[in-house]
Amino acid sequence: MKRLAIAFLCLLFIGAAVAWCFLRDNDKARNVLPKDVTAVAVFEPADFFEDLGFNPSKAGKLVQNLEDVVEGIDLSKPAYAFASESGLSGIALNVHDVEKLLKAFSFFGYASEEQEGFQWVVNKSSIGCIDKDKLLLCGHVSATGQDALRSEMVKLMSQSKQDVPVIEKVLQQEGVLRLSTSFCNLPKEYARSFPADADLSKAFLDAALRIDEKAIALSTKVEGVENLSLPLSPIKGTLATMQSEKPFFWLCANMKGEELLPHLRKVPELRSALLALNMCVDADLMIKAIDGDVMLAVPKADFKHPDFLFAATLANTDFLANSDDWQVGRRNKTDFFIRQEGVEVFFGVREGRLYIASNTGLADKTFLDAEDNDFQKAAKGKYLSASLDVGQIIEIYPAVAIMLKALPQVREITDAFECITLTSDSPQGMELSIQTNKPVKEIVQNLWSLMTGDKK
């Protein structure tokens, strides 16, 4: 009996593997991708709607002819968006019902015709080719360039699956929407932190959108760049925040100021600000002295009169040597202030730490014990940790609070969003996450009920 059960389980696993391979082989849209693709995004409709606990047919009924799109596309298979080295860009979809899809294109202003055994849809800036299994839609194509593109599109529609290396990077990620692109496709500003001799053609940005039970997370990662010059080290967790209070915004990192300063100077706005500050204090020397954990905290969401506290671990206090020459106010030997147009900023050094604060009360909190602080515990070992309290944004607007009291359904939805966090486990990766107090599926269901009155 035991051998029979084991044999049955083996057959079950083999059957599942064969079924999975068969289903993936039926992904005809994948076959359309060109060999020279340098950027590709993959969207998993089935997983997306499953994670949200939502029926796509419901959304189709909200907008006229969107139902034809939902029924025309095979939502059980992936959808692709791509850009190639040759300049071709477009989307590739698996088709479920050609007639429904053509009806939807007609509604959105596309003309259609049959040619060379394919259905073609065109408008002023895009052209699409459809057969019984798949759709290839190419954008940013003028009316005069569409005829020349048809032969290339027919080749792509007729080809078998091509070896596309960038797809492998996408498959290694987890999420309902996954992306991998060469940095050659992105503005040069995105590569400011790269070494000067970095080969952008070998550098890739990977990103994935993931829906968890109580979070929606976007993760990013840079690949193919050695000695990535981001001046970050693992956080030690030595700086406290706002005692027992939950700050509106909080950020912590560990860095060396000498490595940070060149990056700040690369940004024109920051370079100008540094030049202005150096007219009053030795700002460059202050930044160079930073070595260890740094922290920025904003206690309350008060946009008219914002309070803040910045604290940093220092390797030395050499910048104080010229403090007698600074064009600032002095409170004592190591504490200073700048007063300009009615605004005061306090800064100085205490116990080997630099602080900059909007008032003296916050400055005193720079030196609290950090051992029992939840924010420091969560940040320790990471390369970057930040949190934004979403609830405080609503509380600072009385009119919004009154409206939400009158609309309990809306209030329930807004209260379900707890905070937005930004974390990094390595210098190459980062994750932005919307944290919720309730399951994401429940929030989506409540939102749907509010929009339609349908509680099913």
Side-chain angles (χ1 to χ4, degrees), residues 267-334:
V267 183
E269 295 81 3
L270 294 178
R271 184 171 61 249
S272 299
L274 285 172
L275 288 172
L277 281 172
N278 278 302
M279 299 292 288
C280 302
V281 298
D282 293 321
D284 284 0
L285 283 179
M286 278 188 190
I287 294 172
K288 288 180 179 180
I290 294 174
D291 187 0
D293 285 2
V294 299
M295 178 205 72
L296 174 65
V298 178
K300 298 293 181 183
D302 186 346
F303 300 125
K304 290 184 179 180
H305 307 286
D307 280 324
F308 67 90
L309 169 63
F310 172 82
T313 307
L314 296 174
N316 62 71
T317 59
D318 295 348
F319 57 87
L320 290 175
N322 299 320
S323 61
D324 290 339
D325 299 327
W326 291 352
Q327 303 300 310
V328 298
R330 180 187 289 271
R331 299 170 61 213
N332 56 49
K333 190 175 181 180
T334 59

Side-chain angles (χ1 to χ4, degrees), residues 288-422:
K288 288 180 179 180
I290 294 174
D291 187 0
D293 285 2
V294 299
M295 178 205 72
L296 174 65
V298 178
K300 298 293 181 183
D302 186 346
F303 300 125
K304 290 184 179 180
H305 307 286
D307 280 324
F308 67 90
L309 169 63
F310 172 82
T313 307
L314 296 174
N316 62 71
T317 59
D318 295 348
F319 57 87
L320 290 175
N322 299 320
S323 61
D324 290 339
D325 299 327
W326 291 352
Q327 303 300 310
V328 298
R330 180 187 289 271
R331 299 170 61 213
N332 56 49
K333 190 175 181 180
T334 59
D335 293 275
F336 311 87
F337 68 91
I338 296 176
R339 183 182 294 118
Q340 189 173 12
E341 297 181 0
V343 177
E344 286 185 319
V345 175
F346 299 85
F347 68 98
V349 175
R350 296 184 188 177
E351 299 179 16
R353 294 170 179 170
L354 171 69
Y355 76 88
I356 306 172
S358 56
N359 60 64
T360 55
L362 288 176
D364 293 337
K365 293 182 179 181
T366 308
F367 313 103
L368 298 172
D369 187 0
E371 290 184 1
D372 298 326
N373 187 275
D374 290 338
F375 286 91
Q376 290 291 346
K377 287 179 180 178
K380 192 172 182 179
K382 298 185 181 300
Y383 284 78
L384 180 69
S385 182
S387 177
L388 178 73
D389 184 359
V390 179
Q392 285 199 36
I393 299 177
I394 297 172
E395 292 173 4
I396 64 170
Y397 295 107
V400 175
I402 293 172
M403 181 191 72
L404 291 177
K405 286 182 180 179
L407 299 170
Q409 277 187 300
V410 178
R411 181 78 206 201
E412 185 178 353
I413 293 171
T414 56
D415 286 347
F417 292 93
E418 182 178 6
C419 64
I420 299 174
T421 62
L422 181 67

Side-chain angles (χ1 to χ4, degrees), residues 191-264:
R192 276 178 176 163
S193 297
F194 287 9
D197 58 349
D199 185 354
L200 293 185
S201 65
K202 297 180 180 179
F204 284 83
L205 173 66
D206 301 330
L209 179 67
R210 187 181 73 253
I211 302 174
D212 298 329
E213 182 182 4
K214 291 187 177 181
I216 299 174
L218 175 65
S219 59
T220 62
K221 182 176 65 173
V222 175
E223 286 189 283
V225 182
E226 295 183 2
N227 302 319
L228 188 62
S229 54
L230 291 177
L232 298 176
S233 300
I235 297 169
K236 296 180 180 179
T238 57
L239 294 176
T241 180
M242 319 300 293
Q243 204 167 12
S244 60
E245 301 170 9
K246 182 180 181 182
F248 168 62
F249 175 76
W250 185 84
L251 180 146
C252 188
N254 182 323
M255 61 182 63
K256 290 182 180 293
E258 285 196 22
E259 297 175 2
L260 174 65
L261 190 58
H263 293 277
L264 297 178

Side-chain angles (χ1 to χ4, degrees), residues 80-99:
Y80 301 87
F82 66 89
S84 70
E85 190 173 355
S86 60
L88 184 67
S89 62
I91 62 173
L93 305 174
N94 289 279
V95 172
H96 177 257
D97 189 321
V98 176
E99 295 304 318

